[in-house]
Amino acid sequence: MEFKANWIRPAKDLGDVCPVFKKEWKIKKPLKKVELYLTALGVYEAEVNGKRVSGYVLAPGWTAYEMRLQVQRYDVTELVREENILTVIVGRGWMRSPMPGFVEAEYKKKRMEQPCGLWGELHLTYADGSKEVLASDETWEYGESAVRFSEIYDGEHYDATFDTTLWSHALRLDWQTDILMMQEGEEIREIERIGAKSVFETPAGERIVDFGQEITGYVEFCVDAKAGERIRILHGEVLDKNGNFYRDNYRDAKAEIQYICKEGGQTYHPKLTFFGFRYLKLEEFPKKARPEQFKAVVVCSNIKKTGHLSCSDPDVNQLFSNIFWGQKGNFLDIPTDCPQRDERLGWTGDAQVFVKTATYNYDVEKFFTKWLHDMAAHQRKDGGIGQVIPDLLDAGNPSAAWGDAAVICPWQIYQTYGKKQILEDQFDCMKKWVDYITGATTVPYLWAGGEHFGDWLGLDAPSGSYKGSSREEFIATAFYAYSTQLLVKAAKVLGKDAGEYEQLYQNIVETFRKTYPEYLTQTEHILAVHFRLAKDLQKTADDLAEMIKRDGSQIKTGFVGTPYILHVLSEYGHSDLAYTLFLRKEYPSWLFSVKQGATTIWEHWDGIMENGDFWSADMNSFNHYAYGSVADWVYEKAAGIRPLEEYPGFERVLIKPMADKRLNWLEASIDTRNGKIASKWICTPDGIRYEIETAVPAEVEIGDMKMEVAPGTYTFWG
C-alpha cells in the first residue's frame, strides 16, 4: 500500500508531558467505510469522538525501530459521525524511555532524546465509490494531554482535572517512512482482570493491596474524591519476611502511579505503560481503601492457550500455574526476562531455553516470527547476535547459548507448527550466526575466546560468580555443534546444499571429543548427552545420575543445563531420579519457590531463602520464566507426548508416558496445528491406566508394548 502521510511532531518541547494530537474533519457525503492507519515514535492511545479505536494497548509495540516500525489498521466506521475528532496521545514507550536502566551510554542518551512523532492516515471510502485520504501533516494540531508523565520504568502521572484547551499546529518531522510495515506481531491486549484479594496494613503501617497473583499489566482503581486530591501508588512483587512492602529488587525503576483526582466518582488505569506486580503500596489514597476498588488488569500479547497440565499434587499444579503465568507476564510483544525492574529486555538466552515450552503452552508462531524478524534486522555485520533483541546492548559481546537463539528458536517454531516459512525467513540469519562463531574462534572447530555467560546462575558457581563452574568454552563449543547441526537440518528441509556445514559439524564433534574427554559438572554431562557429543551417551548419562546422587539428589545447574537435565535422565533409564528432582520440595528445586508462596517462576532457585532473606536486591526477579522450561519435560516425558522431527507440526507423534507412583495421576494435552493430543495416566490398585487421545496417527509405547494407532481415543493398562 502506498502511503501519503508525513511524520509530525509538537512545535515545541513539552518536557515530560505526553502530547495529544488532533485531527478534525466533517463527512461530506454518505460513507461506506473509514479506516485509520496509525503508528508513533513511542506508544499511543487513539480515540475517535471520545471512543477507543481498538483494544490494542501499547501500540505500535516494540520492534527494531531503526529498521522496522509497525503500522496498525483500524476500521473506525462505526465511530464516525457528521463532525469528527481523532485524538492520539503519545508516550515515550520503549523507544524513548531510558532503556536499559543499568547502562549509561551515548547510544542510550540518543534514543531518549529522539523527538515524539506521529504518523497517520484516515482513509474515507464513500458510498459512491470515491475515496479521500486525510494524512498527517501541518494541519493536524497538538496540545498537552492529561498524561503529565509516562515511561516504561518509572510509571505514569495523570491529572484528571486537566483539559486540553490550547492547541497549536504540528510541525513536520524528518523521519524515515521506508521502515514502516503493517502490523506483523500479535496485538497487545488486556486479557483478564483480577480483583484484589485484600487490603491490609503491614507491621510498618503501610497500606497494601494484594491481588494474590503476580501479573504484568496495571491496576485499575475507582474512587470517590474531591478535585485536587492526590493518589500515589507503588508496585511490588513480594513482602519481606516481616510482612512489610518490598521493592528494592526493582532497582532504579520507580514503577509509580501518580493521579490527581477530579470531583466525584472516577475510574482510572495507566494508558501508556505497564508494571510487573502482585502488591500495591498506597502511599496516598483518599479515604479508606476497599478491595472492590482495585482490579489488576493483565496485559500481554494476544496469544492463544494451547497447552494443559494437571496432576494429583497441589504443589505441582501451582508450579504449572506459575509457568503459564510466567509466560503471560513476559510475552508482552517480545519475550522479556522480567516485567518489573529497570530491564524488561528480550534476552536471547532466556527465549531459547524456554521456546519449546512456550510453543506447547500457547500459540506463539506469530509472536516469535515477528521477534525473529527483528533479530535478523539487528544482526550485526559480522553475523553476531546481540544479548537482547531488540538490541539495546549493542556494545555487548555475543554469547554462546544466547546468540544460538538465532538457530534454536526458528527450528523449534518449525517443529511445533510445521511451516517452512520461518526457516526460509531466518535461514540467512541462522547461517550468519554459525559463520560468526567460525570466524570468531581462536581455535578451529571449537569456540575458543570471546566472552560468555556460561551456565548462568548455576548453583555450582565459585564464590562471587554468576556463571556456574562449567567451562565456558565447553558450553560454547557444545552450542556451536548444536547450532551447526540444526542449520544442516534446516538446509535440508529447504532443499539447500548443506555439505559444507555437515563437514563442519563432524569436525566440531571430533575436536570436541578430543578436547573434552572428561566432563566436570552436571551441566557438562547434560550437554554432552543431549547434544549427542559424548562418545558413549549411556555411560555419560549414568555418570550424570551418579553425580546428581552424590550431590544429594539435587540440581546444580543454571540457565544452560536446567532445561535438559530431566530429559537426559529420562531418556537413558533414570526417570525415577528425574521425578525425584522434579518433585523435590526442599531448596534447590522447582517446588521450593512454590512452598515459599510463588505465583510465577523465579530468577533464582532461592530468590527468597529458607530463612526469609532475599538472595539479593540487584538481580532478583520473581517473574522470570526461564526455569519454567521444565514444562516441556512434563509434556514430552512424564505425559509422553513426543513430536517426531520428521513429522513437523505434530503430523505424527510418539506417545510414550513415564508414570511415577509418587503422583496418583498426571495429564497433559496440546492443541496442535493438526488437532488435540492428550495423555493421562492414573495409578490404581490394579495397575497404571493410560488414557490417550490423538488427532493424528501415533506410535504408542507403554512398557514392552509398542503399537501404531489411528486417530482416536484409547485406554491401555501397564
Side-chain angles (χ1 to χ4, degrees):
M1 178 177 289
E2 185 176 344
F3 293 113
K4 302 178 180 179
N6 296 300
W7 283 100
I8 57 173
R9 64 173 177 87
K12 67 175 184 179
D13 183 5
L14 301 182
D16 286 338
V17 176
C18 295
V20 56
F21 294 88
K22 178 177 73 169
K23 176 62 178 177
E24 299 184 56
W25 80 99
K26 295 182 180 180
I27 299 302
K28 304 171 185 176
K29 50 187 175 180
L31 271 175
K32 180 179 180 182
K33 179 185 276 190
V34 181
E35 292 178 308
L36 171 64
Y37 293 83
L38 205 59
T39 193
L41 304 181
V43 297
Y44 69 82
E45 180 178 279
E47 295 181 347
V48 171
N49 299 321
K51 294 185 178 180
R52 291 279 311 274
V53 300
S54 168
Y56 192 158
V57 299
L58 300 172
W62 191 6
T63 52
Y65 292 126
E66 301 87 348
M67 294 151 280
R68 290 161 38 83
L69 181 56
Q70 295 183 125
V71 174
Q72 290 70 51
R73 183 192 70 83
Y74 308 107
D75 186 335
V76 296
T77 309
E78 298 300 318
L79 303 180
V80 170
R81 305 188 297 246
E82 184 177 345
E83 296 187 358
N84 301 280
I85 301 177
L86 165 68
T87 56
V88 188
I89 301 174
V90 181
R92 290 185 173 275
W94 294 278
M95 189 175 197
R96 297 184 291 115
S97 287
M99 301 182 74
F102 54 88
V103 168
E104 293 302 328
E106 196 61 34
Y107 63 82
K108 171 181 163 180
K109 182 180 178 183
K110 183 178 179 182
R111 280 199 305 271
M112 291 171 62
E113 292 174 349
Q114 289 175 171
C116 169
L118 180 73
W119 181 99
E121 291 186 358
L122 282 155
H123 288 217
L124 285 64
T125 303
Y126 294 103
D128 63 8
S130 60
K131 297 183 178 181
E132 183 180 7
V133 176
L134 305 176
S136 53
D137 58 20
E138 294 91 334
T139 67
W140 290 41
E141 297 177 291
Y142 78 95
E144 293 188 7
S145 75
V147 182
R148 312 308 288 172
F149 171 86
S150 185
E151 57 115 294
I152 294 299
Y153 291 152
D154 287 347
E156 191 161 296
H157 304 170
Y158 189 88
D159 186 349
T161 67
F162 183 86
D163 288 321
T164 310
T165 56
L166 183 62
W167 295 93
S168 304
H169 285 290
L171 295 183
R172 185 176 296 192
L173 172 64
D174 183 18
W175 203 266
Q176 296 169 279
T177 56
D178 59 353
I179 62 174
L180 299 180
M181 63 179 192
M182 293 306 299
Q183 175 74 27
E184 181 180 62
E186 297 282 6
E187 293 186 358
I188 307 167
R189 292 271 178 172
E190 297 178 351
I191 62 166
E192 190 175 347
R193 276 173 159 74
I194 299 174
K197 297 293 186 291
S198 63
V199 177
F200 62 92
E201 187 172 302
T202 69
E206 306 153 317
R207 278 193 295 174
I208 303 297
V209 181
D210 178 13
F211 292 99
Q213 172 64 57
E214 173 148 357
I215 69 121
T216 299
Y218 34 73
V219 62
E220 179 178 274
F221 59 80
C222 59
V223 65
D224 192 349
K226 297 182 182 300
E229 287 189 297
R230 191 167 83 142
I231 291 172
R232 183 166 173 254
I233 297 174
L234 303 180
H235 298 74
E237 293 184 283
V238 294
L239 304 178
D240 68 18
K241 64 181 178 182
N242 297 314
N244 294 317
F245 185 74
Y246 178 81
R247 53 167 290 135
D248 290 354
N249 66 318
Y250 281 50
R251 301 191 303 216
D252 289 334
K254 293 179 181 177
E256 176 184 76
I257 293 172
Q258 292 187 27
Y259 179 81
I260 305 300
C261 300
K262 60 184 178 182
E263 190 71 26
Q266 52 211 288
T267 300
Y268 163 82
H269 67 65
K271 295 175 177 287
L272 303 169
T273 190
F274 67 94
F275 308 85
F277 65 100
R278 170 177 170 172
Y279 297 97
L280 305 176
K281 180 183 178 185
L282 305 181
E283 292 274 55
E284 299 177 55
F285 198 83
K287 303 177 184 177
K288 182 178 180 180
R290 305 180 309 278
E292 58 268 26
Q293 291 178 267
F294 302 92
K295 286 194 170 21
V297 183
V298 180
V299 171
C300 77
S301 290
N302 193 28
I303 51 179
K304 177 185 175 184
K305 190 171 185 288
T306 52
H308 167 78
L309 297 171
S310 186
C311 74
S312 57
D313 187 318
D315 289 337
V316 177
N317 284 334
Q318 183 64 54
L319 172 65
F320 294 156
S321 174
N322 295 358
I323 292 168
F324 280 95
W325 274 106
Q327 183 171 351
K328 281 192 290 186
N330 283 291
F331 275 43
L332 199 160
D333 211 42
I334 68 165
T336 59
D337 58 327
C338 60
Q340 76 297 91
R341 67 190 182 209
D342 57 347
E343 196 161 346
R344 313 187 200 185
L345 303 175
W347 284 93
T348 49
D350 302 53
Q352 70 86 2
V353 303
F354 189 74
V355 65
K356 182 185 287 188
T357 290
T359 64
Y360 294 171
N361 287 345
Y362 291 90
D363 185 339
V364 293
E365 182 179 24
K366 189 175 180 181
F367 174 89
F368 265 100
T369 296
K370 172 246 182 188
W371 184 68
L372 287 169
H373 287 174
D374 284 323
M375 180 183 289
H378 261 314
Q379 189 167 29
R380 301 172 187 182
K381 290 181 179 179
D382 62 1
I385 297 293
Q387 299 163 4
V388 300
I389 298 296
D391 191 356
L392 301 192
L393 299 173
D394 54 9
N397 292 315
S399 169
W402 271 249
D404 292 285
V407 179
I408 294 169
C409 289
W411 180 254
Q412 184 60 53
I413 296 301
Y414 166 67
Q415 283 292 300
T416 299
Y417 303 113
K419 297 178 184 176
K420 296 180 184 179
Q421 189 61 49
I422 190 68
L423 299 181
E424 290 275 11
D425 292 352
Q426 298 300 127
F427 188 78
D428 284 348
C429 177
M430 298 164 75
K431 179 177 176 294
K432 288 176 184 176
W433 169 248
V434 172
D435 290 344
Y436 165 79
I437 303 171
T438 302
T441 183
T442 59
V443 179
Y445 310 126
L446 300 175
W447 189 354
E451 297 179 22
H452 304 285
F453 289 110
D455 187 22
W456 187 247
L457 302 184
L459 294 177
D460 54 4
S463 177
S465 172
Y466 289 152
K467 293 186 178 183
S469 288
S470 298
R471 290 165 285 184
E472 288 183 32
E473 291 183 357
F474 180 106
I475 293 171
T477 303
F479 274 90
Y480 183 20
Y482 186 49
S483 283
T484 303
Q485 182 186 42
L486 294 185
L487 178 65
V488 169
K489 291 180 178 181
K492 290 182 177 180
V493 169
L494 299 174
K496 297 178 181 288
D497 180 15
E500 175 188 351
Y501 292 94
E502 286 182 289
Q503 186 60 55
L504 174 62
Y505 173 68
Q506 291 302 322
N507 291 340
I508 296 170
V509 172
E510 290 173 9
T511 308
F512 178 92
R513 289 174 176 172
K514 291 176 184 176
T515 307
Y516 301 110
E518 296 180 331
Y519 313 123
L520 308 181
T521 65
Q522 289 185 13
T523 289
E524 289 188 8
H525 283 81
I526 292 162
L527 296 185
V529 177
H530 192 70
F531 293 162
R532 306 187 74 79
L533 299 172
K535 287 183 178 180
D536 189 332
L537 299 173
Q538 184 63 57
K539 180 181 183 304
T540 307
D542 293 343
D543 290 345
L544 170 65
E546 289 305 311
M547 174 178 277
I548 292 170
K549 290 174 183 177
R550 289 196 304 272
D551 288 334
S553 292
Q554 55 185 281
I555 49 179
K556 295 288 187 180
T557 53
F559 272 36
V560 168
T562 299
Y564 310 127
I565 185 170
L566 302 189
H567 284 281
V568 169
L569 292 173
S570 296
E571 287 168 7
Y572 291 89
H574 301 285
S575 63
D576 58 337
L577 181 56
Y579 270 102
T580 295
L581 297 180
F582 179 64
L583 297 175
R584 178 184 170 91
K585 297 188 178 183
E586 302 79 24
Y587 167 80
S589 68
W590 283 276
L591 296 182
F592 175 74
S593 62
V594 170
K595 301 302 287 185
Q596 296 285 79
T599 63
T600 43
I601 299 296
W602 292 356
E603 182 174 15
H604 296 271
W605 297 110
D606 57 344
I608 299 175
M609 296 186 288
E610 291 173 298
N611 65 2
D613 290 338
F614 295 108
W615 184 87
S616 74
D618 70 315
M619 194 182 73
N620 198 16
S621 163
F622 295 98
N623 192 356
H624 225 85
Y625 61 80
Y627 287 144
S629 57
V630 69
D632 67 51
W633 173 83
V634 181
Y635 286 111
E636 291 190 350
K637 300 302 190 302
I641 302 172
R642 308 190 190 190
L644 299 173
E645 186 175 289
E646 60 271 32
Y647 296 97
F650 288 85
E651 288 184 355
R652 184 182 180 92
V653 296
L654 167 64
I655 300 179
K656 186 180 179 180
M658 292 183 173
D660 190 289
K661 292 184 178 179
R662 283 169 283 186
L663 294 175
N664 294 329
W665 58 269
L666 180 141
E667 64 182 4
S669 66
I670 306 172
D671 292 324
T672 77
R673 286 287 188 269
N674 287 290
K676 182 178 180 180
I677 316 293
S679 174
K680 180 177 183 177
W681 51 259
I682 307 163
C683 296
T684 77
D686 299 321
I688 301 176
R689 186 170 78 247
Y690 298 88
E691 299 174 356
I692 293 168
E693 177 186 349
T694 176
V696 299
E699 302 168 21
V700 178
E701 293 187 20
I702 296 173
D704 295 330
M705 186 272 290
K706 296 183 180 181
M707 65 182 300
E708 295 188 5
V709 300
T713 303
Y714 302 89
T715 299
F716 302 97
W717 289 87

